[in-house]
């Protein structure tokens, strides 16, 4: 009885008493450190070591009951050992050696003393010598447990280092782009500066030259005024004065009473405020950000929607927009058809952005099921859907169960992230990239995107849902 009781407080990963126990959605329990290390070390989707059901960090729920029970069982076992006058070792919690004696092979009724590294499972000595484990590598349970703990830590550190390198590399690429753009804008400024300075210098030279020409004319005219003999003045006027002043008039045929003289420098300016870079001066960050988007990879994926065949549902020719058809009567006002993507997804990570705008009612999500079931009309094995319901606000639906989401934001765009490896779906406010909710699924069936434009609402919800495209290099947006 005592052995059976002690087994209830053992972690199947480290084979020791629970430390800070947590329970998964499948109701199997482990030490928090053990299951977190197992999750981080997994190259693919994390699966429960006991039943292989997928899980993520959000599934780790602290178990106060199990923690209290572990403490109580430890105390009880210690008291029993003390009552039997056992050694001081007996007063401690059941160690790994006792765990080995209590674990029995269901096939051979022998103690599970070995760990098969090839199959990653506990075996007895008879299993080791059987054909099923022929050529496999074995270690004693205690040694294997210690090695696995070390390997888990090392795997976590390696994975963390790889992610750190990837993050640094991607930020380095963005920094490189920004530095390159900064150099380009500064060169443009330098070029514009030289251009303006040259223009100003040319104008200044022309102004100086014309000033000197006018100064010479002024001296000549001034000297002419000093001629006292009328006949000498008239002779000068006829030979020099009249031709000189004639070229200075705005119009040659002006009467003496209306004569006006043209300025030689009126059309010339130094332009002290002419240096201007346009949007790179007034909207620099926005223009650079738009240019930077073209170099970012990956970007949200393009997607083509299936034509559903419903007369009340309109899909655009390119398969990127969907809306309710215009109606002239109030019939079928609660009819709310939708469609799915032409492509199904089984592997990898995928991200899309859906423009919902100011629509008061819509649905965006994932359908999961057999490929022949993934259509606009047939039900899938399961669905993960985010709704904006005009009467209830934001609602998450998973396998028919609704959960109300508390959010103050009203996004114009919804981001949907599908991780087929970890079997995880996340919804984002794509306006500021904040996460709205995240949920896991267990099915191994393919997935597809599903869109429902929402109830018609007497024409108030006739705007389309649009799958956003970011194919900058081809000029599409």
């Amino acid at each position: 009885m005592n052995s059976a009781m002690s087994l209830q407080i053992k972690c199947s990963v480290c084979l020791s008493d629970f430390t800070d126990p947590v329970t998964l959605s499948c109701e199997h329990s482990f030490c928090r450190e053990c299951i977190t290390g197992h999750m981080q070390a997994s190259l693919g989707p994390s699966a429960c070591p006991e039943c292989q059901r997928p899980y993520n960090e959000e599934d780790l729920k602290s178990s106060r009951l199990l923690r209290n029970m572990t403490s109580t069982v430890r105390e009880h076992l210690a008291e029993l050992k003390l009552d039997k006058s056992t050694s001081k070792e007996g007063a401690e919690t059941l160690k790994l050696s006792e765990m080995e004696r209590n674990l029995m092979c269901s096939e051979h009724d022998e103690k599970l003393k070995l760990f098969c590294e090839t199959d990653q499972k506990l075996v007895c000595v008879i299993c080791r010598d059987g054909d099923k484990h022929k050529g496999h590598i074995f270690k004693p349970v205690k040694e294997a447990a210690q090695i696995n703990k070390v390997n888990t830590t090392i795997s976590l550190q390696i994975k963390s280092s790889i992610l750190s390198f990837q993050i640094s590399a991607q930020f380095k690429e963005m920094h490189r782009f920004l530095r390159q753009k900064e150099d380009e804008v500064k060169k443009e400024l330098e070029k514009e500066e030289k251009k303006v300075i040259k223009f100003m210098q040319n104008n200044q030279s022309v102004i100086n030259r014309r000033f000197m020409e006018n100064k010479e004319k002024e001296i000549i005219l001034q000297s002419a005024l000093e001629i006292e003999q009328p006949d000498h003045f008239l002779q000068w006027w006829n030979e020099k004065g009249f031709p000189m002043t004639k070229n200075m008039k705005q119009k040659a045929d002006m009467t003496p009473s209306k004569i006006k003289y043209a300025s030689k420098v009126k059309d010339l300016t130094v332009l002290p405020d002419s240096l201007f870079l346009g949007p790179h001066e007034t909207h620099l960050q926005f223009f650079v950000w738009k240019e930077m988007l073209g170099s970012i990879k990956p970007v949200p994926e393009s997607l083509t929607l299936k034509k559903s065949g419903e007369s009340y549902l309109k899909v655009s020719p390119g398969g990127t927009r969907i809306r309710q058809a215009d109606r002239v009567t109030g019939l079928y006002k609660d009819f709310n058809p939708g469609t799915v993507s032409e492509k199904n997804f089984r592997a990898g990570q995928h991200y899309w952005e859906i423009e919902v705008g100011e629509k008061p009612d819509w649905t965006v999500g994932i359908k999961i099921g057999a490929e022949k079931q993934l259509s606009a009309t047939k039900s899938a094995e399961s669905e993960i859907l985010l709704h904006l319901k005009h009467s209830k606000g934001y609602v998450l639906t998973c396998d028919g169960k609704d959960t109300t989401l508390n959010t103050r934001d009203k996004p114009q765009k919804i981001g949907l992230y599908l991780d087929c490896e970890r079997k995880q779906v996340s919804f984002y406010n794509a306006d500021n990239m904040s996460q709205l909710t995240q949920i896991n699924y267990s099915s191994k069936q393919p997935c597809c995107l599903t869109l429902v434009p929402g109830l018609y609402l007497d024409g108030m919800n006739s705007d389309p849902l649009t799958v956003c495209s970011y194919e900058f290099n081809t000029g599409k947006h």
Side-chain angles (χ1 to χ4, degrees):
M1 176 179 178
N2 293 337
S3 298
M5 185 181 298
S6 66
L7 287 176
Q8 301 303 314
I9 63 170
K10 294 295 179 186
C11 170
S12 62
V13 175
C14 66
L15 305 181
S16 298
D17 292 352
F18 286 119
T19 302
D20 188 12
V22 295
T23 301
L24 304 183
S25 57
C26 59
E27 299 185 354
H28 289 115
S29 302
F30 309 88
C31 301
R32 181 181 293 276
E33 182 178 355
C34 294
I35 197 64
T36 301
H38 177 271
M39 177 177 62
Q40 298 292 346
S42 299
L43 298 179
S46 301
C48 172
E50 293 281 351
C51 66
Q52 301 303 307
R53 181 174 176 177
Y55 73 94
N56 62 19
E57 193 169 359
E58 290 187 357
D59 294 323
L60 309 185
K61 307 298 183 184
S62 294
S63 176
R64 181 183 298 178
L65 176 63
L66 190 54
R67 183 168 61 249
N68 293 340
M69 187 181 79
T70 300
S71 177
T72 302
V73 171
R74 283 175 177 170
E75 293 174 1
H76 177 67
L77 292 176
E79 290 176 0
L80 289 178
K81 292 295 182 182
L82 288 174
D83 290 343
K84 294 178 181 179
S85 302
T86 58
S87 63
K88 290 183 180 180
E89 264 184 26
E92 298 177 357
T93 56
L94 201 58
K95 299 297 181 181
L96 186 59
S97 58
E98 287 185 296
M99 186 67 177
E100 293 175 8
R101 291 195 298 271
N102 292 323
L103 292 173
M104 303 294 290
C105 175
S106 60
E107 185 178 353
H108 304 112
D109 200 26
E110 290 284 335
K111 294 172 184 176
L112 300 173
K113 294 182 178 182
L114 300 172
F115 180 75
C116 176
E117 290 192 333
T118 306
D119 289 342
Q120 292 288 297
K121 61 187 296 186
L122 292 170
V123 297
C124 69
V125 292
I126 300 178
C127 291
R128 177 195 61 188
D129 299 332
D131 292 338
K132 188 185 294 185
H133 293 277
K134 187 176 182 179
H136 290 186
I137 300 174
F138 302 91
K139 287 189 181 298
V141 169
K142 186 173 182 179
E143 181 183 347
Q146 187 61 34
I147 291 174
N148 282 342
K149 284 185 178 181
V150 173
N151 289 342
T152 298
T153 302
I154 293 174
S155 297
L156 173 61
Q157 292 172 339
I158 292 174
K159 186 173 183 179
S160 178
S161 297
I162 293 173
L163 288 176
S164 178
F165 175 79
Q166 292 175 348
I167 291 169
S168 296
Q170 292 186 45
F171 272 100
K172 185 177 180 180
E173 179 63 21
M174 289 190 284
H175 294 160
R176 185 201 62 77
F177 175 87
L178 290 174
R179 283 193 294 269
Q180 179 180 333
K181 195 61 191 176
E182 180 183 2
D183 290 341
E184 289 177 4
V185 175
K186 285 183 176 179
K187 286 180 180 178
E188 181 184 349
L189 172 61
E190 184 179 350
K191 181 180 178 181
E192 189 67 20
E193 178 189 2
K194 290 179 178 179
K195 178 181 176 182
V196 171
I197 289 176
K198 183 178 179 180
F199 182 80
M200 290 168 59
Q201 290 174 340
N202 290 339
N203 276 7
Q204 186 66 48
S205 297
V206 173
I207 290 172
N208 290 339
R209 186 178 70 252
R210 292 183 181 179
F211 175 78
M212 293 304 297
E213 291 173 353
N214 289 340
K215 189 67 177 177
E216 291 176 1
K217 291 179 180 179
E218 180 186 353
I219 294 173
I220 294 173
L221 292 173
Q222 189 66 38
S223 63
L225 293 177
E226 295 177 359
I227 300 175
E228 295 181 357
Q229 295 85 353
D231 54 339
H232 289 176
F233 177 80
L234 290 175
Q235 184 180 359
W236 173 87
W237 177 257
N238 185 53
E239 294 176 354
K240 298 181 180 179
F242 180 74
M244 180 189 300
T245 57
K246 182 179 179 181
N247 293 332
M248 296 169 59
K249 295 178 183 179
Q250 288 185 350
K251 294 182 179 179
D253 58 349
M254 284 185 173
T255 60
S257 61
K258 297 182 178 181
I259 292 177
K260 291 184 179 180
Y261 294 94
S263 171
K264 293 292 186 181
V265 293
K266 186 177 181 180
D267 59 328
L268 298 174
T269 57
V270 179
L271 299 175
D273 298 323
S274 63
L275 184 60
F276 183 62
L277 295 180
H280 280 156
E281 180 173 331
T282 59
H283 295 75
L284 176 64
Q285 292 183 349
F286 177 77
F287 269 67
V288 172
W289 170 72
K290 291 285 284 187
E291 291 181 54
M292 189 175 185
L293 285 178
S295 65
I296 293 176
K297 290 185 175 27
V299 296
E301 299 176 31
S302 299
L303 201 67
T304 303
L305 301 172
K306 286 184 178 180
K307 295 188 180 299
S308 67
E310 294 285 354
S311 59
Y312 283 96
L313 191 67
K314 296 296 183 183
V315 179
S316 66
T320 59
R321 288 186 176 89
I322 182 175
R323 68 177 181 87
Q324 286 262 21
D326 296 326
R327 304 178 187 180
V328 295
T329 68
L331 296 176
Y332 305 105
K333 63 179 182 179
D334 294 328
F335 185 49
N336 193 16
T339 189
V340 297
S341 59
E342 289 187 350
K343 185 178 180 180
N344 298 324
F345 304 91
R346 287 180 173 272
Q349 291 79 30
H350 309 274
Y351 178 74
W352 303 277
E353 287 187 357
I354 314 301
E355 184 173 355
V356 298
E358 296 291 340
K359 288 175 64 65
D361 196 283
W362 48 260
T363 298
V364 173
I366 293 293
K367 278 191 174 185
I368 309 167
E371 289 185 84
K372 62 182 180 180
Q373 291 180 318
L374 293 178
S375 67
T377 56
K378 296 180 180 179
S379 61
E381 179 181 306
S382 60
E383 295 177 320
I384 299 175
L385 307 172
L386 177 66
H387 315 271
L388 174 58
K389 298 186 176 181
H390 72 286
S391 59
K392 297 182 180 179
Y394 292 96
V395 176
L396 177 69
T397 299
C398 182
D399 296 337
K401 297 179 181 179
D402 288 353
T403 303
T404 301
L405 300 181
N406 295 320
T407 176
R408 297 180 180 179
D409 297 334
K410 188 177 181 184
Q412 301 290 300
K413 292 181 180 178
I414 296 296
L416 194 159
Y417 184 73
L418 171 64
D419 188 341
C420 297
E421 308 304 326
R422 293 170 179 79
K423 297 185 176 5
Q424 192 173 81
V425 177
S426 305
F427 294 94
Y428 290 86
N429 174 352
D431 297 338
N432 57 23
M433 300 314 296
S434 60
Q435 189 180 81
L436 299 174
T437 186
Q438 182 182 87
I439 193 166
N440 286 73
Y441 62 92
S442 58
S443 175
K444 296 182 180 179
Q445 297 294 329
C447 305
C448 68
L449 185 73
T450 179
L451 299 182
V452 181
L455 297 172
Y456 188 63
L457 300 178
D458 296 326
M460 293 189 298
N461 192 35
S462 59
D463 289 340
L465 289 179
T466 304
V467 181
C468 299
S469 175
Y470 293 86
E471 297 178 8
F472 297 99
N473 293 333
T474 60
K476 299 178 182 179
H477 178 59

